[in-house]
Amino acid sequence: MGFARTCSVALVGVEGVVVEVQADLEPGLATFTLVGLPDKSLVESRDRVRAAVVNSGIDWPQKKLTVGLSPASVPKSGSGFDLAVACAVLGAAERIDPRGLTDLVMIGELGLDGRVRPVRGVLPTVLAAAEAGYRQVVVAEQTAAEAALVPGVSVLGIRSLRQLVAVLTDAPVPDEDPAEDGATAPMLAGLTVPGAGGGVGALCGERPVDLAEVAGQVAARRALEVAAAGRHHIFLKGPPGAGKTMLAERLPGLMPPLTPQEALEVTAVHSVAGTLPPGQPLIERPPYCAPHHSATMASLVGGGSGLPRPGAVSLAHRGVLFLDEAAECSARVLDALRQPLESGQVVVARAQGLMRMPARFLLVLAANPCPCGRHGSRGGGCECRPSSVRRYRARLSGPLLDRVDLRVTVEPVTRSELTDPDARAESTATVAERVRAARERAAARYAGTPWRTNSEVPGHELRTRWPAAPRALGRAEEDMERGLLTARGLDRVLRVAWTLADLAGHDRPTADDVDGALELRTGVRRGTALTGGRA
C-alpha cells in the first residue's frame, strides 16, 4: 500500500481554503476514484492526469487508486487541482519521495501532453496558502509573476509535469520550449473572459483619455473633481451628446494610484474573474467597469450557476462603476446596488455555498431627462407626455438616489465652447494633483482609523470627532426639518462638505462648504463655494 499527500487551494469567491490532496494505492483492480465534493471539471481531472503522467514518460500505477480532497465538506471546482493530484499519485506510487510533497501547494491545470497550463485566481489562492503558513508554491510559469506578488512565499514556475518531477527527484531538469505545442499567448488566452465588461484604464491598451478633451461643462468638471477627491457617488443628468460618458471615462484618471494593499485586493478579484490585462500581474490604477444597461442581476452583483462568480460591482472595486442610460436598467437590478453601496461588499448565498466579494466602488449614474432626451433643453422639441417623463424618472428609486452624494445637470455644449480655439480646459494631470492633495489631507486626518476618504466615515464620527464650523450646518438642518433631507442625506452632505474643505485647504467645513455640498446634492444654488470652480 502507498500513500502520499500534498496541498492545493479551493476558491470561494476571492477567499481561499487550503485543500489537502491525498492519494492511496491498494492492491486490486486498476480504478481511479476521486472523492471530496468535486465538480464536473474536477472529476474530469482523472483522465487529464492519467494522460499527462503517461505522456510524460512515467508509468501509471496499475492498482486501486483513491484520491481524496479534504476537507470534504468544501465544494471544489476547476482544473487547478490537476498538478496536486498528479504529484500525490506519483508520491503514492513512490515515483517521487512523498516527504517532499507535504509542504508544497500546487496550482495548475495539466494538458494531456503533460504541459502545465495557468488557471484563474492564482493570487488569492497563494494569499490563502500564505495565511495558512505555507511558504512554497508551484504554479504554471505564465502565472509565476502573479503568485510572486505575495510576500514571504517561494514560487516555482514550471512548464511541464516532467520538469516538476525532475526538480522533486533532483534529476536534470528537461528543457521545455514555451513556443512548442502552445505558446505563452494561447496559454494565457484561456484565462480571459470575453466581454466581461471590465476595464483597467490605460492597462487595457486603449488610448489614454484626458479631461482637457471635454469642452465646457465647468460645473460638471468641478463635481467630477469632488467625486474623485472624496470617492462620492455621482449622478449625471443631461440630454444626449452633452458629454456624460466622456466625463465618466475620465474619472479614474483623476483618482490616485492604488495603495499596495488595494492593488492586491483589485488584482485578486480580476484574477478570479479572468480579466487581468495580459502582461500585467498587478493592477495599480483604479479599474473602470461600464456594463450595458441590459445587464442582469447576476452579471452586476455576482452570481451564476454553482458557486457564484464576481460581478461588475466587484470588478469595479476601488475604482469606478459607470451605468450609462441608468433609467433604462431594470429597477430590480438597480436596487440591488443599495446594499453594496452601504457595506462595500456583496454577499451572495447559493445552495452550494456563500460568496463574499469586495465591492467598494465609486458609482457614476448617467441618464437623459426623458425618453427622448430633450425635456427642458434650450431647443425644446420634447414630445414625451408628462406621465411618460414621470415614469421614466421614477425608474431611479428614491432610496438609491439618496445614496448618491452629487447630482449634476450636464448642460448641452454651446457652439462657442466647442469651436473656440483659445479655450483651454485643465488637463487630467492638473486636476489629479489637487485631488491627490485633498486625499492626503483626509488621510492625515483619519490616521489611526479604518477610514481613508471622506465617503467612508460614518456620520456619527463626523458629527462628534470632526464637527463642522459653528453654525455651518444651519441650512442643511433646516432642509432636514422640512423633510427635504433624510438623516442619511445630512450625513452625506457633511461628507461632501469635508471634501470641499480639503480641496480648499480649510481646517474644517465652513458655511460655504456646506452650502456647496447642498448645491451639489440638490442642484439648487445655496452659496458661493462652487463659483471658484476652475474651467
Side-chain angles (χ1 to χ4, degrees):
M1 182 180 74
F3 177 82
R5 62 182 180 182
T6 187
C7 291
S8 191
V9 177
L11 280 178
V12 182
V14 293
E15 299 174 356
V17 178
V18 175
V19 174
E20 188 176 71
V21 181
Q22 304 170 341
D24 176 71
L25 279 174
E26 296 180 354
L29 185 64
T31 58
F32 188 168
T33 304
L34 183 64
V35 297
L37 213 58
D39 72 344
K40 183 173 178 56
S41 63
L42 184 49
V43 169
E44 292 174 349
S45 69
R46 296 177 300 183
D47 300 317
R48 290 193 301 270
V49 167
R50 182 187 291 108
V53 169
V54 172
N55 290 326
S56 296
I58 306 172
D59 293 334
W60 181 260
Q62 299 299 319
K63 295 182 180 181
K64 180 182 179 182
L65 171 62
T66 303
V67 173
L69 308 175
S70 178
S73 59
V74 176
K76 304 163 191 75
S77 61
S79 57
F81 293 88
D82 288 2
L83 197 57
V85 171
C87 288
V89 171
L90 295 178
E94 298 183 351
R95 309 290 195 273
I96 301 174
D97 186 356
R99 294 172 297 180
L101 301 175
T102 54
D103 295 328
L104 291 179
V105 173
M106 303 186 183
I107 306 160
E109 175 186 329
L110 285 175
L112 299 185
D113 58 352
R115 297 182 65 85
V116 179
R117 293 183 56 91
V119 295
R120 300 174 192 164
V122 166
L123 178 59
T125 57
V126 177
L127 283 170
E131 291 176 359
Y134 290 89
R135 293 294 175 261
Q136 293 180 302
V137 177
V138 181
V139 298
E141 184 182 52
Q142 294 88 344
T143 54
E146 181 183 344
L149 296 173
V150 181
V153 175
S154 175
V155 178
L156 174 61
I158 59 171
R159 297 176 182 172
S160 69
L161 180 61
R162 288 184 292 270
Q163 285 189 337
L164 179 57
V165 171
V167 170
L168 294 175
T169 57
D170 294 326
V173 179
D175 186 27
E176 298 280 359
D177 185 0
E180 181 182 351
D181 296 332
T184 301
M187 293 282 263
L188 288 173
L191 302 185
T192 303
V193 178
V200 196
L203 297 181
C204 293
E206 300 177 354
R207 181 183 67 86
V209 293
D210 197 296
L211 195 60
E213 299 170 351
V214 181
Q217 306 300 355
V218 175
R221 290 165 60 93
R222 176 62 172 169
L224 216 64
E225 180 179 344
V226 175
R231 284 191 66 255
H232 301 290
H233 309 304
I234 183 171
F235 175 35
L236 303 173
K237 182 178 70 173
K244 302 185 293 295
T245 301
M246 288 185 68
L247 289 165
E249 289 175 343
R250 284 149 181 80
L251 181 54
L254 303 181
M255 301 168 68
L258 301 175
T259 65
Q261 179 60 37
E262 291 172 344
L264 285 177
E265 293 176 6
V266 173
T267 303
V269 174
H270 284 258
S271 177
V272 171
T275 57
L276 274 182
Q280 293 285 347
L282 183 67
I283 297 176
E284 299 176 309
R285 295 294 308 176
Y288 174 80
C289 190
H292 192 261
H293 63 259
S294 63
T296 63
M297 177 83 74
S299 66
L300 194 63
V301 301
S305 59
L307 287 176
R309 300 292 297 274
V313 296
S314 295
L315 295 177
H317 179 58
R318 301 294 182 184
V320 175
L321 176 65
F322 177 47
L323 296 183
D324 199 6
E325 305 295 345
E328 300 291 346
C329 296
S330 164
R332 179 170 169 265
V333 171
L334 286 176
D335 284 338
L337 296 175
R338 288 154 55 178
Q339 184 257 342
L341 285 175
E342 289 292 326
S343 64
Q345 65 178 2
V346 171
V347 180
V348 181
R350 293 290 186 270
Q352 297 185 20
L354 185 73
M355 180 191 72
R356 181 177 286 102
M357 297 289 293
R360 193 169 296 280
F361 55 89
L362 194 165
L363 176 64
V364 180
L365 298 172
N368 297 327
C370 67
C372 75
R374 296 189 295 271
H375 186 270
S377 62
R378 286 192 294 264
C382 177
E383 300 177 353
C384 302
R385 290 179 294 183
S387 58
S388 299
V389 176
R390 286 195 300 270
R391 283 195 302 270
Y392 185 80
R393 295 180 177 178
R395 294 177 183 176
L396 299 177
S397 66
L400 175 62
L401 290 180
D402 197 39
R403 291 166 167 82
V404 178
D405 302 336
L406 315 177
R407 306 173 192 177
V408 183
T409 299
V410 182
E411 300 291 349
V413 181
T414 64
R415 181 182 62 84
S416 60
E417 291 173 332
L418 194 61
T419 60
D420 185 2
D422 298 326
R424 289 291 184 270
E426 285 186 320
S427 66
T428 292
T430 302
V431 180
E433 181 59 27
R434 292 200 297 268
V435 170
R436 182 195 60 78
R439 287 277 189 110
E440 289 180 352
R441 293 189 187 99
R445 181 168 61 249
Y446 303 132
T449 71
W451 314 299
R452 290 295 176 267
T453 59
N454 294 316
S455 64
E456 300 172 358
V457 185
H460 173 74
E461 298 290 337
L462 286 179
R463 293 191 300 270
T464 55
R465 296 177 62 179
W466 299 285
R471 295 182 296 277
L473 290 172
R475 293 189 183 180
E477 291 171 349
E478 290 176 4
D479 283 0
M480 184 176 177
E481 290 179 356
R482 290 186 292 174
L484 301 178
L485 272 182
T486 63
R488 181 194 291 119
L490 181 63
D491 288 343
R492 291 186 174 274
V493 167
L494 185 55
R495 293 169 184 166
V496 176
W498 265 110
T499 300
L500 291 172
D502 288 335
L503 288 169
H506 299 159
D507 292 334
R508 54 177 165 169
T510 64
D512 281 346
D513 293 328
V514 176
D515 289 345
L518 281 170
E519 178 182 337
L520 284 169
R521 183 172 181 83
T522 64
V524 179
R525 189 64 175 270
R526 301 297 183 108
T528 60
L530 297 182
T531 57
R534 300 164 179 82

